[in-house]
């Protein structure tokens, strides 16, 4: 069912841009996953301290088409993301693990003041690899597919774009292993740089 919803959203996105001029390009940046407590304040503090324990990265492609009747644009993206997360065991010891996923945000946005924009939309995610292990257990019990929400703002100066986003996982992707609870839902701040081709 979730895959059907993803296909419908993507079909809608591309059908809306089929008769319009489509911009496209490359993007990449840094992610700061704060494991359920991501705020701009906490992320700023984490960045100052180095942010190594929670930092990740992303890289991919973006497309954008205007929706002339309502004055907005739609921006589907295809992004590879590496994120770090952590879990706490029954002894309150914290361990980190890393996972890689494919993200497909489908963002609805509005440009203003010539260079600025704001946007919001769902992000469909699929975990393709992780290094989680605990007493021989793996994350096979997780639902690898999940849905999140992204919102943010940015500026564009010529072909270069800079944006900052907040992303929160909406799907329940929690798994329990022998008194260990692991939740793969992202709660992160994303700093991105894009280039229009």
């Amino acid at each position: 069912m979730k895959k059907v919803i993803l296909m419908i959203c993507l079909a809608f996105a591309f059908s809306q841009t089929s008769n319009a001029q489509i911009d496209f390009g490359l993007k990449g940046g840094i992610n700061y996953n704060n494991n359920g407590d991501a705020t701009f304040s906490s992320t700023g503090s984490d960045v100052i301290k180095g942010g190594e324990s929670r930092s990740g990265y992303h890289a991919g492609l973006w497309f954008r088409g205007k929706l002339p009747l309502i004055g907005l644009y739609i921006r589907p993206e295809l992004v590879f993301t590496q994120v770090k997360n952590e879990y706490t065991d029954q002894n309150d010891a914290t361990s980190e693990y890393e996972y890689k996923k494919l993200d497909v945000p489908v963002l609805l946005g509005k440009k203003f003041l010539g260079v600025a924009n704001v946007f919001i939309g769902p992000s469909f995610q699929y975990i393709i690899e992780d290094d989680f292990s605990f007493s021989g257990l793996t994350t096979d019990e997780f639902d690898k597919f999940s849905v999140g929400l992204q919102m943010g703002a940015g500026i564009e100066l010529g072909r270069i774009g800079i944006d900052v986003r907040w992303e929160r996982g909406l799907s329940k992707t929690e798994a329990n292993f022998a008194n260990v609870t692991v939740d793969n839902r992202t709660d992160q701040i994303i700093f991105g740089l894009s280039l229009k081709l």
Side-chain angles (χ1 to χ4, degrees), residues 16-31:
Q16 292 298 307
T17 59
S18 61
N19 295 323
Q21 178 185 355
I22 298 176
D23 295 326
F24 65 94
L26 305 174
K27 63 167 301 187
I30 299 172
N31 303 31

Side-chain angles (χ1 to χ4, degrees), residues 83-99:
V83 179
K84 291 184 180 180
N85 208 341
E86 61 185 33
Y87 65 90
T88 303
D89 64 20
Q90 65 269 30
N91 299 317
D92 288 330
T94 300
S95 300
E96 295 179 1
Y97 67 100
E98 180 179 288
Y99 61 96

